[in-house]
Amino acid sequence: SSLKVEERTRLAVELHDTIAQTLTGVSLEIDAARDFSRTNAAEMERHLDCAARTLTSCRNELRNCMWDLRNQTLDDISMDEAIRRTLTPHLSNASLAVRFAVNRDLLSDNTALSILRIIRELTLNAIRHGKATDIKVAGCIEGNKLLFSVKDNGCGFDPSDIPGVEQGHFGLQGVTERVETLGGTLMIDSSPGAGVRACISISLPAAQFHST
């Protein structure tokens, strides 16, 4: 019951912080396009393109929130199966390999949900923006740290010049915020044409483990 209340609160905040603010951004882009409509066609097109990309991201985020409300992945007996069920609706023609050597019983529900969302965001980013056709997810526990990664064979990018909200890209920003909420760290290994490997390290205090 406590988890359900917390999850509904999180989704309400997320809907406000992402979708409501994103729609405000779309409105501003359309206003800017209108201002340039008679003086600079190229600038008008740039603002309209950004508004269109932002609306697409907003639609995808809303779909993800609806999935989170309906999903039953926490009932799965393994993280491998939970990850596969979370990613399958988004894979299109991409292949998926999962090797998540983490006992589901060792993770609190909140931590498991956060991990699934982070993996989903990284996978969506790889497929939508990187045009990846192969996704590999791996994870393990070392000491009191949970280590996991998402690797793809997409087009890659320069980590020092990551497209952001201004370009209609929200995936990595969302991942960074989720990792920070867990007190973890995110490392991105990528270069143009070489795919992306995102590695996350999260400390798991003893109190966060379930007794077995």
Side-chain angles (χ1 to χ4, degrees):
S1 177
S2 176
L3 177 63
K4 289 180 179 179
V5 172
E6 183 175 341
E7 181 64 3
R8 288 171 180 166
T9 301
R10 183 200 67 78
L11 286 171
V13 172
E14 193 160 299
L15 284 169
H16 176 270
D17 290 349
T18 58
I19 295 177
Q21 292 183 16
T22 297
L23 290 175
T24 298
V26 170
S27 178
L28 292 174
E29 290 293 335
I30 292 174
D31 287 343
R34 184 182 294 113
D35 291 340
F36 284 111
S37 62
R38 295 183 179 180
T39 60
N40 192 325
E43 276 297 299
M44 180 188 71
E45 288 293 333
R46 186 178 71 81
H47 285 288
L48 288 177
D49 286 345
C50 185
R53 289 195 300 271
T54 304
L55 276 175
T56 298
S57 294
C58 183
R59 181 192 63 193
N60 293 334
E61 184 62 27
L62 180 58
R63 183 174 63 182
N64 290 339
C65 286
M66 297 303 295
W67 168 264
D68 288 343
L69 284 170
R70 296 193 307 266
N71 89 66
Q72 301 295 321
T73 52
L74 289 182
D75 295 334
D76 291 320
I77 61 174
S78 74
M79 284 299 291
D80 273 37
E81 182 60 25
I83 291 168
R84 289 190 179 93
R85 286 184 59 186
T86 298
L87 298 184
T88 295
H90 309 286
L91 288 175
S92 186
N93 294 322
S95 63
L96 173 67
V98 181
R99 191 177 74 253
F100 212 86
V102 177
N103 189 330
R104 171 65 184 87
D105 291 338
L106 294 179
L107 301 175
S108 69
D109 286 348
N110 285 336
T111 298
L113 279 170
S114 295
I115 291 169
L116 292 174
R117 293 190 187 104
I118 290 168
I119 292 173
R120 181 181 64 195
E121 290 292 343
L122 290 170
T123 299
L124 289 173
N125 202 57
I127 294 173
R128 289 174 181 161
H129 303 303
K131 309 303 179 185
T133 58
D134 184 60
I135 306 293
K136 291 182 172 63
V137 181
C140 66
I141 288 180
E142 294 185 1
N144 70 331
K145 287 187 179 296
L146 170 63
L147 309 175
F148 64 100
S149 64
V150 177
K151 183 179 180 181
D152 69 70
N153 67 340
C155 63
F157 56 86
D158 179 357
S160 66
D161 187 25
I162 298 175
V165 175
E166 294 79 6
Q167 291 77 38
H169 297 284
F170 297 82
L172 283 178
Q173 175 177 307
V175 169
T176 299
E177 291 173 353
R178 293 190 196 281
V179 172
E180 289 176 350
T181 298
L182 291 173
T185 59
L186 168 67
M187 294 181 58
I188 301 291
D189 181 14
S190 181
S191 60
V196 180
R197 184 169 185 262
C199 301
I200 296 93
S201 174
I202 299 171
S203 295
L204 297 176
Q208 199 165 337
F209 286 91
H210 289 265
S211 59
T212 58

